[in-house]
Amino acid sequence: MVDRLVNSEANARRIAMVESCFGSSGQPLAEQGRVLVGEGVLTKMCRKKPKARQFFLFNDILVYGNIVINKKKYNKQHVIPLEEVKLESLKDDGQFRNGWLIRTASKSFAVYAATATEKEEWMAHIDKCIEDLLRKSGKQPPSEHAAVWVPDNEASTCMHCKKTQFTVLNRRHHCRKCGSVVCGPCSSKRYLLRGQSDKPLRVCLQCFDELNRERARPQAQAPPATTPPVKADASGSGGDSSADEDSDDEGVTAEENHDEYKLNCPKFYGDSEKTEETNNHSSKDSAK
């Protein structure tokens, strides 16, 4: 189905429309062989609170952004190569239902659909795109993924020392290794985490010790390292605060009415275009 849509005029128009909705804040999305498979609104679990985000599924990338004006303008564009993605279904938990994790080496997060059917559709289409990509490229799926951050409101005290109460002065931070919410003193270490950054990132004291123990283990039977050794920075300085890295949790979102977005069901183009093509052929045959 995707192969048939690659060169269609409808596909080109859809991609151009997505580009125009992001405007100058987004990167060009039209590429040879790229197909817009589907689009819709999902609730993304951000570090401060769940927020509605517009998602666009292409056959090779997943794009999402903040909603400024629904179906007209988006910003804070994020582009995720599907070859790096692994999906993991979440069990329903109270108000958080129909969710799954989107895991990559650099960032992982939870999203929620309005209904169980929409969740099934999203996951099936994303998994199919990933499967096709890996089959064509011959690559293996990634084995390591970034931790999912614990939302701020789930931790009133440091998850490491269990003592520090978070206040305006005692800010929350996130360990980039395990995703826990920790205080400044309990996350004063930095460590180079492959796949997430080329600079040492904030980690909690427990993860820092575990990472150092892993590095110190005998590597006699391991193949020669092809990457520089992992480095640690115990200074506690450096600019990678939680707020700085989770930029999609901020920015202008003029409409935050989730009930309104739930009325906008996701749209996947393969089946609808096949139906449209069949109807066109039927009309032509009747006219003969």
Side-chain angles (χ1 to χ4, degrees), residues 1 14 17 43 63 71 79-80 86 88 93 96-97 99 101 131 137 151 196 217 241 280 288:
M1 179 63 67
R14 292 172 188 139
M17 181 61 70
T43 298
V63 177
K71 295 185 179 180
V79 179
I80 304 174
K86 178 182 178 182
E88 181 180 329
D93 182 16
F96 299 111
R97 306 176 65 83
L101 297 179
E131 179 185 333
S137 67
Q196 291 197 43
R217 288 171 187 162
S241 70
N280 290 338
K288 290 180 180 180

Side-chain angles (χ1 to χ4, degrees), residues 209-220 222:
D209 290 340
E210 290 177 356
L211 288 165
N212 275 325
R213 284 196 295 269
E214 289 179 6
R215 190 178 63 166
R217 288 171 187 162
Q219 299 292 324

